[in-house]
Amino acid sequence: MNLTWGTAWTIARRDLNARFKGLRLLLVCIFLGTAALAAIGTLTSAIERELASSGQELLGGDLEVEVWQRDLSAEEMAALEEYGEVSGGFRLQAMASTPDAAAPIELKAVDAKWPMFGTLVLADGREVAAPSGTDAWIAQGAIERLGIAVGDSFTVGTVTLTAAGIIADEPDRLSEGFQLGPTVIVAEDIAAKAGLLQPGALYQSKHRVAFADPARNPEAAEEALSKAFPDAGFDIRTRDRASPGADRFVRQMSDFLTLVGLAALVIAGIGIAGGVSSYLDQRRTSIATLKVLGATSSDIVRIYALQIGVAALVGSIAGLAAGVLVTPLLAAALAGLLPVESGFIIAPPALLLAASYGLLVAFAFAAAPLLRARTFPAMALMRSGVVPLARDKRALIATGIGLAAICALALVTTDQPMLSGGFLLGAGVALALLAGLGWAIQRLAGRLPRPANPLLRSALANLHRPGAPTGALVTALGFGLAAFVLLAAVQSAIDGNIQQRVPREAPDYFVLDVPRDKESRFFELIQADFPKAGIRSVPTMRGAVLAYGPKDAMVRVAELEEIPDGAWALRGERGLTYADRLPPGNRVVAGEWWSPLQDGEPLVSVDAELARATGLKVGDYLTVGILGVERTARIANLREIDWESLGFNFTLVFSRNAISDAPHNLAATIDLPEGADPAARGALLRAMVRELPSSSVIEIGGILVEARKLLEQVSLATLAAAAVTVLAGLAVLMGAIAAARAARTYDTVMLRVLGASRRQILLLQLAEYGLIAGLLALVALGLGSALAWVVITQLFTFDWLPDWGQVLGVLGLGVALVLAFALAGSLPLLRAKPARALREL
């Protein structure tokens, strides 16, 4: 008759150590995996909840319509007003100056209704609305660059403004996108009065709508406006997509962190299997005694399943608590990059999912060793110190059910089932590869000639002798070392993007809105103080692709249900230019460049990547809308573009006769000689403000600093997340070594009885683990690098720029830790008393 669950629990509780001695590895592995997933899920839920709940405030309305180089027409404005209250304004780059300083700024001209949602807070604590008259709310960075204080005056274009307050919290800052200069907020009419809205000037008009009916569907309104004005070049956003860049980054980060969590779980599962095997091995005498006293195999399962279950539950609860506690630290690392609540966040669905993963992993990987001990006779259990337990094929069924449940849960709860499924498949292949490698190492070790050195001969024999833990060690060490490689490759690749993705020969300044009739004066201003400066100017305007394809079967962009993957240039308006010669950094890959004297059919050169995404080829046609006028040109050639040159790169370059009659200005780059005097630089900026008040300068150095900050924040968050995987790997390494301790004790005792010294035993351990670790280092290098490549190139869409010296150094550190743990794990064996150990066998 089987024991009741109550009786089984009584026995289990008495045998269960209060400090979980023997089950600590299982507890640690469950803790790390659950903590990682709890933190990931909680952080992602918090960011998504903040984006959803604060969508109106982040966007500044329920819906936003943005268009370049013009204001909305009366008909377009009337269409917006049908939905509710409309707040309009302009966004553009400009120059702010005083008699002694000049600074590039981002000018934000807003009407009296701004902000319709949220509150603008100044540094002195005041909550204010839009400025009036010539007052301006000004960012701290602009105050510092201009060397002024609140109450002082400065100039933008041809208008003198007063710094009326310093911006502390701008409600719709995140939705404005990447900032090219500190913000200055002014009244709506200031931009025109300053002469910054001339025909051809590069500016955006933005109109936000607060729906009269809060229940109105913003997506339906977006679709209606797109159909009503298909060729207007509108870029429309809704409160549900207040910050597309943030949404995209959250998805990428969530995908990466989910992969990290799944990796931690896979590694934790290996540790759990090893930890449970070690624990049951230590309890073999107790199990045998219970069987001799009449306990059935089912009773054994109940007793030890209860113990393992309690340890898994405690580890899961501790992991959930740790995940909640660490979330504020991850949120702080992403501060300013993403909206996330401060303080502790409780997300029940995320915590429930993390706990479910933890318990499923415990079940799946603990089932095999538990069922193996269940079915073996009592005397065989008592002899298992020298006769290893046989494998139970039925345990594979239980493990398979657990793994299938984990995979199903991962695929059901992810937004990217293909990505998660691919990772799980890859993890399964990696496990099979490592298991096969372990088997191959055992077979190879058995066939190799015996070395003359007795230590090496014994180490080699330990790899293939009956009951050797080589397979478990190979799997555990392989994943552990791969975790080291993953962390090093991801971290160094992100650092490489920070350092190398930014070109070393970037220009010092971009200058926008240089009037065409003042181009020669612009060159004179620069060359007066910097005669060796490199200057390049190009015509520039904005336009939207309206149609493309063969002349008699052109596809209208407005009629597309979905933009093709990679055809980002079809969304909204893009920069356009015309040129007589092939632009620097471009290479024609199909067709031919036109003659500088091209006269006849208008022509256009298209980015080869866009052509591949849309199926365009030489001879097809392209229609763009510029200031409401449609212009069609034949595709003369396709180009490859060096996007990393940070020069002027345009997806579409037209022949002069195609678009040169449209209102437009020039854009220019200035490359000053190395070591240019800072005072002379400042004088140049002030001279350009004085002579060309409607032009604006963008300092590349400032952009690179902001880009570097963003990438460093990503790097920090990645490091914190990937560290969990490495910790799990370390736990598995220690557990794998500890799991073989019983067999090692017997071996060590026999060697000591035969006269081996402590030094020889330590060297034997070092040689055995050194052989395994050396072989696995190459496998881990390939496995970890492959996973890191997926993370960097597919998730973050960065360049693959790892520092292989750093990766190999970290891998070497991992191998050194393996050997250190092996030696540390051997020290207790040296203290074993031969007489006692032999009596316990």
Side-chain angles (χ1 to χ4, degrees), residues 274-420:
V276 172
S277 294
S278 177
Y279 178 70
L280 294 176
D281 186 66
Q282 296 171 20
R283 291 290 187 273
R284 68 183 188 275
T285 303
S286 299
I287 296 173
T289 301
L290 288 170
K291 283 198 168 186
V292 168
L293 294 175
T296 65
S297 296
S298 298
D299 295 334
I300 298 300
V301 170
R302 289 187 182 187
I303 292 170
Y304 288 96
L306 284 170
Q307 292 185 359
I308 293 167
V310 169
L313 188 61
V314 170
S316 295
I317 293 173
L320 296 180
V324 171
L325 291 173
V326 80
T327 301
L329 299 179
L330 292 175
L334 297 173
L337 182 61
L338 293 170
V340 61
E341 303 173 39
S342 59
F344 297 109
I345 303 159
I346 304 296
L351 298 179
L352 179 61
L353 181 63
S356 300
Y357 271 125
L359 295 177
L360 279 174
V361 167
F363 166 77
F365 286 90
L370 186 60
L371 292 177
R372 197 167 64 211
R374 165 188 184 270
T375 58
F376 223 65
M379 292 309 296
L381 282 166
M382 289 184 171
R383 295 196 308 269
S384 64
V386 292
V387 180
L389 299 179
R391 297 186 182 276
D392 184 356
K393 295 182 179 179
R394 286 173 295 179
L396 295 176
I397 299 175
T399 301
I401 292 173
L403 292 176
I406 294 169
C407 293
L409 187 61
L411 296 176
V412 168
T413 57
T414 182
D415 292 331
Q416 302 233 7
M418 293 297 294
L419 181 68
S420 295

Side-chain angles (χ1 to χ4, degrees), residues 5-194:
W5 281 104
T7 305
W9 168 241
T10 300
I11 298 173
R13 180 170 51 82
R14 289 176 178 174
D15 192 41
L16 191 63
N17 189 279
R19 294 178 295 175
F20 292 98
K21 185 176 180 180
L23 287 172
R24 290 173 190 165
L25 179 61
L26 178 146
L27 194 147
V28 168
C29 288
I30 291 292
F31 167 80
L32 288 172
T34 306
L37 287 172
I40 292 163
T42 301
L43 179 65
T44 303
S45 298
I47 294 173
E48 290 177 343
R49 187 166 60 197
E50 188 73 9
L51 285 171
S53 64
S54 304
Q56 287 177 318
E57 181 176 331
L58 294 172
L59 184 64
D62 294 300
L63 179 142
E64 177 191 80
V65 174
E66 174 187 296
V67 65
W68 280 87
Q69 292 186 283
R70 66 179 182 88
D71 203 351
L72 296 186
S73 67
E75 183 183 4
E76 292 166 342
M77 181 64 75
L80 289 186
E81 290 174 342
E82 291 180 4
Y83 292 99
E85 187 176 22
V86 179
S87 172
F90 305 97
R91 306 293 184 273
L92 63 152
Q93 299 304 126
M95 292 294 293
S97 65
T98 66
D100 302 318
I105 62 166
E106 185 176 279
L107 191 68
K108 185 171 180 175
V110 297
D111 64 13
K113 299 175 184 177
W114 182 91
M116 295 191 294
F117 297 94
T119 304
L120 176 66
V121 181
L122 300 181
D124 58 11
R126 284 184 293 160
E127 296 183 355
V128 296
S132 59
T134 57
D135 285 348
W137 311 133
I138 184 168
Q140 182 67 42
I143 283 278
E144 293 173 354
R145 285 291 305 272
L146 295 174
I148 60 176
V150 174
D152 291 343
S153 297
F154 64 99
T155 300
V156 172
T158 58
V159 174
T160 299
L161 303 172
T162 301
I166 299 174
I167 300 169
D169 186 10
E170 186 181 349
D172 54 359
R173 174 66 261 166
L174 186 64
S175 70
E176 299 284 7
F178 192 78
Q179 196 165 358
L180 299 178
T183 302
V184 173
I185 302 175
V186 297
E188 183 181 17
D189 61 345
I190 293 296
K193 288 180 178 178

